[in-house]
Amino acid sequence: MRRIVSSVVVLLAAGVLLASYLDGWWSDPATTPSSSPAPTRPETEVVLPSGSDAGDATSPYPPSTVTLAVGQKLGVRTTGGAMPKYWYLTSAGEGVVLRNGPDVAITSCSTNPPAPGCAPEIDKTFIALAPGTTTLTWAFGSQLDCATDAPNRAELRCDITKSIQVTVR
């Protein structure tokens, strides 16, 4: 009898764990409240060109400059392009000056699967750690196709970039 009771307790515990796992699996993160508050958007923001504009660009964009105080957040707003092209970070700068923070969703594609043409906007955030200057560099394209050793980098226009020089005081 004791063995049957132990088996039932183990099965009930496994059922509770499975139910809690499936509850998170089936829920839509865009509509399901979370126990932790969503990160807030940074006050200082640089907006990267839209995916459609970057797709038509023929040369790198001029660099931007930003000055932050220690502890201040920088948001770099990115908008998805026509897949598989998008903005991706190629150089995260000096980790002594800046570190990655939590990304903040501005708009999302909450339907599953996302609607055709949906391009979510996010703020990739960086937190100023210490005085100094560093540069964040972004490239527009396919990270796989634009790898340094990719054979057709020139034809794919892998030179469309945007740099942000960040000075922390």
Side-chain angles (χ1 to χ4, degrees), residues 66-125:
V66 173
T67 301
L68 303 173
V70 172
Q72 192 174 5
K73 292 180 186 177
L74 166 67
V76 179
R77 186 187 294 191
T78 63
T79 303
M83 290 307 273
K85 290 190 169 197
Y86 52 91
W87 284 106
Y88 61 94
L89 191 61
T90 61
S91 173
E94 294 292 323
V96 173
V97 178
L98 286 177
R99 76 171 164 83
N100 287 328
D103 294 344
V104 179
I106 299 168
T107 61
S108 67
C109 298
S110 61
T111 58
N112 193 7
C118 181
E121 286 184 295
I122 61 167
D123 263 344
K124 300 290 279 179
T125 63

Side-chain angles (χ1 to χ4, degrees), residues 7-23:
S7 297
V8 168
V9 168
V10 168
L11 285 173
L12 285 173
V16 168
L17 287 173
L18 180 61
S20 67
Y21 171 77
L22 290 177
D23 180 47

